[in-house]
């Protein structure tokens, strides 16, 4: 083949391979649109719903009252009570959820306010929307980011930063958007917001722990810097170690520090599966090997 023909053949093969790859990915992706068949979470009982109503009412009443007191002392030293509605929903309706624990609330609020305040310092362009640039004369345009871009960037940084730092609290994400959009909100507003967090957490802790079946918080610090990939690696290592113990006939008790989650190898009858609910190690045929 001539150099030109060889190049054309390589290019054609590359395009064909890329097209096959894209087609395969799209087929796998579209299969997921049907859902995984997982059942929706169960609803709360009437008594639990009444308890949630009473707790949310008292906490929100305290937060609104606290904000009004701050407004009397210093009008600019306030917050919006609506910012806490989603947080209170998570605490009372999804009490055990990791995203509703005190550590997540305090750190996520601090992080998102910091991100929003940083983007607030970036000059805003002379048009509010990226689509308005042609409507403004060049002499009147101001260099800077469009407001819509600042809002999108701040929200993206706020959420991705929470994910990387392991401090995800979804309701806090709106603060990055709000602080980047409104120059009236200053970094000093962080203090009253954290004060509201303290009131919300303490009152929720008192109310929820009155019940027999509820526990809040699940943790205060709970530091864990491991990423999901590192956690999965530890889980696979733990599974392999226990499988070797089983195959060698050794029924030694494992170190519980390595039990980071449910691990299993469903395709092997000799596999081991950890259930944190039953605290038992079971083999693939259902026999209980170890009870922790």
């Amino acid at each position: 083949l001539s150099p030109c023909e060889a190049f054309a053949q390589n290019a054609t093969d590359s395009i064909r391979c890329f097209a096959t790859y894209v087609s395969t990915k799209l087929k796998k992706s579209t299969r997921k649109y049907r859902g995984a068949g997982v059942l929706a979470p169960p609803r709360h009982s009437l008594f639990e719903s009444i308890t949630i109503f009473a707790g949310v009412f008292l906490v929100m009443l305290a937060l609104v009252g606290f904000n009004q007191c701050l407004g009397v002392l210093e009008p600019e030293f306030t917050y919006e009570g609506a910012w806490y509605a989603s947080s209170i929903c998570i605490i009372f309706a999804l009490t055990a959820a990791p995203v509703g624990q005190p550590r997540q609330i305090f750190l996520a609020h601090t992080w998102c306010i910091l991100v929003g305040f940083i983007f607030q310092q970036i000059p805003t362009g002379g048009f509010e929307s990226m689509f308005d640039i042609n409507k403004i004369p060049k002499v009147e345009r101001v260099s800077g980011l469009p407001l819509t871009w600042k809002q999108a960037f701040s929200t993206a940084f706020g959420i991705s930063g929470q994910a990387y730092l392991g401090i995800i609290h979804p309701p806090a994400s709106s603060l990055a958007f709000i602080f980047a959009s409104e120059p009236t909100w200053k970094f000093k507003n962080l203090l009253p917001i954290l004060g509201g967090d303290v009131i919300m957490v303490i009152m929720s802790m008192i109310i929820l722990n009155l019940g027999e079946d509820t526990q809040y918080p699940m943790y205060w610090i709970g530091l864990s810097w491991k990423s999901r990939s590192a956690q999965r690696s530890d889980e696979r290592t733990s599974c392999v170690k226990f499988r070797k113990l089983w195959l060698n006939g050794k029924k030694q008790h494992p170190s519980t520090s390595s039990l980071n989650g449910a691990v299993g190898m469903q395709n092997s009858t000799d596999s081991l599966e950890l259930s944190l609910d039953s605290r038992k190690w079971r083999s693939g045929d259902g026999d209980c090997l170890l009870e922790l």
Side-chain angles (χ1 to χ4, degrees):
L1 296 176
S2 64
C4 292
E5 292 175 341
F7 175 78
Q9 184 175 356
N10 291 334
T12 303
D13 293 340
S14 299
I15 294 174
R16 186 182 296 110
C17 291
F18 179 74
T20 303
Y21 171 78
V22 172
S23 175
T24 303
K25 293 291 289 185
L26 289 176
K27 288 180 180 179
K28 291 182 178 180
S29 176
T30 53
R31 292 196 198 104
K32 298 178 183 179
Y33 296 167
R34 295 174 293 182
V38 179
L39 296 178
R43 65 180 181 88
H44 290 274
S45 66
L46 178 60
F47 177 77
E48 291 172 338
S49 300
I50 294 174
T51 304
I52 292 172
F53 170 83
V56 171
F57 174 78
L58 293 175
V59 174
M60 183 56 75
L61 190 66
L63 288 171
V64 174
F66 178 63
N67 188 41
Q68 291 178 346
C69 293
L70 292 176
V72 173
L73 299 176
E74 178 60 47
E76 296 183 356
F77 203 62
T78 58
Y79 55 82
E80 291 289 344
W83 296 348
Y84 291 93
S86 299
S87 298
I88 298 175
C89 174
I90 293 175
I91 292 176
F92 279 90
L94 299 170
T95 306
V99 296
Q101 304 308 308
R103 169 177 171 265
Q104 313 295 108
I105 295 173
F106 289 111
L107 295 183
H109 280 170
T110 303
W111 165 255
C112 288
I113 290 175
L114 177 62
V115 169
F117 182 72
I118 291 174
F119 276 93
Q120 186 186 111
Q121 309 311 308
I122 300 176
T124 303
F127 49 95
E128 294 185 358
S129 171
M130 67 182 79
F131 305 107
D132 294 338
I133 185 171
N134 295 324
K135 301 179 182 179
I136 301 175
K138 292 184 178 180
V139 293
E140 298 181 10
R141 294 177 188 174
V142 180
S143 61
L145 276 178
L147 180 60
T148 51
W149 286 40
K150 290 174 61 175
Q151 293 168 337
F153 270 125
S154 61
T155 306
F157 270 99
I159 296 176
S160 59
Q162 290 180 70
Y164 178 74
L165 297 173
I167 55 172
I168 296 178
H169 181 62
S173 305
S174 61
L175 293 178
F177 182 98
I178 294 170
F179 273 70
S181 306
E182 297 293 339
T184 54
W185 297 110
K186 305 297 182 182
F187 193 71
K188 65 180 181 180
N189 293 104
L190 173 64
L191 292 179
I193 291 174
L194 292 180
D197 290 343
V198 171
I199 293 175
M200 178 176 64
V201 168
I202 291 178
M203 289 193 64
S204 300
M205 180 177 62
I206 294 173
I207 295 172
L208 288 170
N209 288 332
L210 292 175
E212 293 292 335
D213 300 327
T214 53
Q215 164 71 47
Y216 185 80
M218 303 303 291
Y219 59 85
W220 285 99
I221 305 298
L223 292 178
S224 176
W225 190 246
K226 288 185 178 180
S227 63
R228 288 185 177 273
S229 59
Q231 185 175 358
R232 285 193 294 267
S233 177
D234 288 348
E235 292 171 356
R236 286 193 296 267
T237 302
S238 301
C239 184
V240 170
K241 288 181 179 179
F242 277 93
R243 188 168 183 269
K244 289 181 178 179
L245 289 176
W246 171 242
L247 293 176
N248 293 333
K250 299 177 181 179
K251 298 184 179 180
Q252 301 177 3
H253 195 286
S255 172
T256 57
S257 62
S258 63
L259 306 183
N260 293 320
V263 295
M265 299 171 64
Q266 299 294 337
N267 296 327
S268 173
T269 57
D270 294 327
S271 64
L272 297 165
E273 181 182 356
L274 172 63
S275 171
L276 293 180
D277 294 329
S278 61
R279 305 295 291 173
K280 294 179 180 179
W281 282 93
R282 298 182 179 275
S283 64
D285 54 7
D287 295 332
C288 180
L289 304 180
L290 291 171
E291 183 170 357
L292 305 182

